[in-house]
Amino acid sequence: MSTFYHSTRSTHELLTSKQAILQGIAADGGLFICDNLADKRVDLQTICNNSFMHNAILILHTLLDDFTAQEVEKCVEAAYGTSFDSPAITPVTPLGTSWVLELWHGPTSAFKDIALQMLPQLMRVSRHGDGRNVMIVTATSGDTGKAALAGFADVAGTGITVFYPEGKVSDVQRLQMVTQTGNNVAVSGVAGNFDDIQTQVKHIFANRKLAERLAAHNIVLSSANSINIGRLVPQVVYYFDAYAQLVRSGALTLGDPLEFYVPTGNFGNVLAGYFAKLMGLPIAKLTVASNANDVLFDFIRTGVYDRRRAFNKTISPSMDILVSSNLERLLYLLSNGDCERISSYMTQLSEQGFYRISKDLLSALQDTFACGRADDTQTRAAIHKAWTNEKVLLDTHTAVATSVMDAVQPACACRVVLATANAYKFSADVLEAVTGTACTRSGFEAMRELQRLTGIPAPQQLSSLHTAQVLHPHVCSIDAMGAVVSAACEKSF
C-alpha cells in the first residue's frame, strides 16, 4: 500500500513522498507526516545482520515507498559511499558503562551530515521530470547550515540560501558557512536569534506573492531544515543501526530494550527516534536533553509549551532554540491524527506565545519521553569528566546529554548518548572544560592547544578553515531576508 503524506494541520492535500520532499512545508504552514508509521515495522533480525548502508536502503525504501529500490540504492551510495571517515558511518563506542553513537564522521563533522548528504540525492530523484528549479531556504542554529551547503553546492537545478544568527554560532561554525564555495550558494548572517530567523523563513514560504513571482521564473522554494520530511527520514536509520551494532557486539541480546539520550533544540533528532520506536525498535525511553534554553524540559514535565522566556546564549549554540518545530509532528502522532487540535495549539503558540496540551496527551508523551537539563557549568563538568576518566573528547552538545544521563534514573541497562558534533567545532569551550581554566584563545589557537593536550587530531576540514577565503560576509536584518532569497534566485538560475 502506497504511503501518502499530508499536513499535520489538515488532510486535504495528499502528496507522495517525492512531492512532499520537493515542497518542504505544507501550504497551511503544517509539516508533512504519514499516518501509517506503525504499519512500517522492520524485522530486527534483518537489521542486525545488515551494514549501515543496507539498513539505510531498507528503512528509506520503507518510509519513502514511491522511490524504487534502485533509486534508493543509488541515493544511499551517493550519500554515504565516500564522504564519511568511518566505514561504520555512525559507529557506537563505549563511554564507561554506557555508549556513544558518533554521528559526526561526515564531511562537516556534525550529525546533520547523515541527512544532508542524503536530502540532495532524494531531491535529485524527486525532481526528475519536474522541470522546476528549486531554491533551498534554510535557517540554522549552527550545524544545519554548513551541512546543507556541503550537500547542495553546485547541484544542478538547485540553489541554496542559508541564514544564521550573527554572533550566536561558534567561530568554526561561522567560518564553515561563510567560506563555502559554489555558484548556487548564498549565506547571510542575521541580526536576531535562531527562533526569529526560523519564523521568518516560514513566513517566506507562506508568502504567496513571492511564490507566484518565483513560479513565473520556474522556481519553487523548499527547505533543508528538519521541517522537510526528506531531512527527517534518514535520521531514523542510525537508531536502528546503533541497535544492530550493540547486538553484534554482545552488549544487547536481540529483543532487549535500550534508551537514548538526545541533545536537541528543534526536536528533529529525537523525533527520528520515535519514528524508529513506532517501526519496531524496542526503545524504553527517549530522554530529551536541554541546555539553559529549557522550553522542552518544562514542556515534557508540565505539558505547557511557553516560549515567553529569556533567550540564553550558551556554549551549546545549536540547541539555543525556543520554538521546536518538529514537536508539531510528535503531537500529531500522539493525538492519533487530530489535525484540528494541532492547528489550535500552533495558532495559540503563534498568537499568544504558549499552549497547554491535554492530560491524556501529556500522559502519552511521558510514556516514551523523559527529560533533563544541564547549564553551561554542568556541561563543562561533563566534558572534563569524560576526558579525565575515559579519555573521550565530547563536544558541548553531547556533553549536555551525558550530564543529563548521569543525573536521571536509567530506564534499562543499555544507555546510548547521541554525539552530535566533533569536539573541535567548539574548541575554545572544550579546551576550557578539559583544563578547568578560562580560555582567552581564538578558536584556532584553542584547536591547536587541544590537539597538543589530547593527542587527538582535529578533522582536516576544520583545521584548514583559518586559511579559507571569506566569500559571504553579508549580514542582514530579519525584514531583509526575503530580498536575500530573491537575489539568490537571480544568481543561481
Side-chain angles (χ1 to χ4, degrees):
M1 183 175 65
S2 295
T3 299
F4 289 96
Y5 288 80
H6 61 81
S7 171
T8 46
R9 304 180 192 181
S10 72
T11 57
H12 296 151
E13 184 181 22
L14 297 179
L15 278 66
T16 66
S17 63
K18 289 180 179 179
Q19 293 169 328
I21 288 167
L22 280 183
Q23 188 167 320
I25 189 168
D28 61 6
L31 308 186
F32 287 118
I33 191 73
C34 65
D35 290 321
N36 60 342
L37 279 170
D39 298 328
K40 300 282 189 180
R41 298 179 75 86
V42 295
D43 180 66
L44 280 183
Q45 183 66 68
T46 300
I47 289 288
C48 292
N49 290 336
N50 277 351
S51 66
F52 180 96
M53 301 285 276
H54 285 102
N55 280 330
I57 293 168
L58 172 61
I59 291 164
L60 265 65
H61 187 47
T62 299
L63 290 172
L64 309 174
D65 59 10
D66 58 320
F67 286 77
T68 68
Q70 185 179 35
E71 286 173 336
V72 171
E73 188 172 348
K74 288 182 177 179
C75 287
V76 168
E77 180 58 36
Y80 306 128
T82 59
S83 57
F84 285 71
D85 65 16
S86 168
I89 310 299
T90 58
V92 175
T93 59
L95 178 66
T97 59
S98 303
W99 302 90
V100 173
L101 175 57
E102 295 180 353
L103 302 175
W104 42 259
H105 287 274
T108 76
S109 304
F111 83 98
K112 307 295 178 74
D113 288 326
I114 309 299
L116 285 168
Q117 286 294 297
M118 175 57 66
L119 182 59
Q121 307 305 325
L122 297 175
M123 281 197 166
R124 174 182 54 79
V125 175
S126 299
R127 285 184 66 249
H128 183 69
D130 182 270
R132 294 176 296 176
N133 294 312
V134 179
M135 172 54 71
I136 307 295
V137 182
T138 292
T140 183
S141 57
D143 287 331
T144 288
K146 174 58 181 180
L149 290 163
F152 283 100
D154 289 327
V155 172
T158 306
I160 179 164
T161 306
V162 168
F163 297 103
Y164 67 92
E166 174 67 14
K168 297 180 177 67
V169 299
S170 76
D171 289 346
V172 170
Q173 286 176 314
R174 183 185 66 82
L175 280 171
Q176 281 189 297
M177 290 185 279
V178 300
T179 60
Q180 177 67 50
T181 59
N183 293 322
N184 64 338
V185 165
V187 180
S188 180
V190 182
N193 61 42
F194 173 77
D195 292 316
D196 299 329
I197 299 169
Q198 181 170 248
T199 298
Q200 187 64 10
V201 165
K202 290 179 180 178
H203 290 163
I204 289 170
F205 278 110
N207 187 328
R208 292 184 179 275
K209 289 185 178 179
L210 176 61
E212 291 170 0
R213 190 161 67 247
L214 294 177
H217 293 87
N218 204 34
I219 301 170
V220 63
L221 298 181
S222 191
S223 173
N225 287 99
S226 55
I227 58 176
N228 191 317
I229 194 67
R231 240 292 300 274
L232 184 62
V233 165
Q235 295 177 253
V236 178
V237 177
Y238 50 70
Y239 282 93
F240 278 103
D241 195 69
Y243 192 86
Q245 291 183 59
L246 290 167
V247 169
R248 289 197 296 267
S249 72
L252 279 175
T253 299
L254 186 67
D256 283 351
L258 79 172
E259 59 180 322
F260 292 94
Y261 292 79
V262 188
T264 190
N266 215 21
F267 208 78
N269 201 9
V270 72
L271 180 63
Y274 187 64
F275 276 33
K277 180 179 174 69
L278 292 178
M279 296 172 68
L281 190 64
I283 296 176
K285 281 288 182 182
L286 290 162
T287 297
V288 172
S290 299
N291 62 13
N293 293 297
D294 53 2
V295 63
L296 286 170
F297 172 76
D298 285 345
F299 175 68
I300 292 170
R301 289 187 306 119
T302 68
V304 178
Y305 195 100
D306 193 343
R307 62 173 172 82
R308 301 169 303 174
R309 62 184 69 204
F311 179 90
N312 297 292
K313 184 179 177 182
T314 74
I315 63 172
S316 45
S318 296
M319 297 162 62
D320 289 346
I321 296 171
L322 296 180
V323 180
S324 304
S325 290
N326 269 290
L327 192 58
E328 181 171 345
R329 281 189 173 111
L330 176 67
L331 294 177
Y332 174 88
L333 294 169
L334 292 176
S335 67
N336 296 313
D338 190 339
C339 291
E340 186 175 345
R341 188 173 1 174
I342 303 310
S343 184
S344 174
Y345 288 151
M346 296 307 112
T347 298
Q348 289 177 54
L349 183 63
S350 176
E351 296 179 354
Q352 301 174 44
F354 77 102
Y355 61 85
R356 180 189 296 273
I357 63 173
S358 61
K359 289 183 179 179
D360 65 308
L361 207 52
L362 178 59
S363 177
L365 173 72
Q366 292 174 343
D367 281 346
T368 295
F369 291 88
C371 61
R373 69 183 299 278
D375 61 21
D376 282 354
T377 298
Q378 293 166 312
T379 301
R380 291 188 183 98
I383 294 171
H384 186 84
K385 176 184 176 182
W387 177 250
T388 302
N389 294 350
E390 307 294 338
K391 291 298 180 277
V392 172
L393 201 57
L394 301 178
D395 86 285
T396 52
H397 302 76
T398 308
V400 170
T402 62
S403 178
V404 168
M405 181 178 67
D406 288 345
V408 304
Q409 188 70 26
C412 60
C414 187
R415 303 193 291 171
V416 181
V417 169
L418 270 62
T420 54
N422 187 287
Y424 282 102
K425 295 196 79 166
F426 309 93
S427 296
D429 289 309
V430 173
L431 177 63
E432 181 172 322
V434 166
T435 62
T437 304
C439 179
T440 59
R441 303 169 188 258
S442 72
F444 291 99
E445 290 173 339
M447 187 180 292
R448 288 190 287 272
E449 179 63 10
L450 193 59
Q451 288 182 104
R452 187 189 69 78
L453 282 176
T454 65
I456 297 174
Q460 191 275 335
Q461 65 263 30
L462 301 183
S463 61
S464 63
L465 282 171
H466 72 289
T467 60
Q469 181 183 0
V470 173
L471 302 174
H472 309 281
H474 185 63
V475 178
C476 71
S477 67
I478 291 287
D479 292 338
M481 287 170 58
V484 172
V485 172
S486 295
C489 289
E490 292 181 11
K491 171 190 170 185
S492 298
F493 309 119

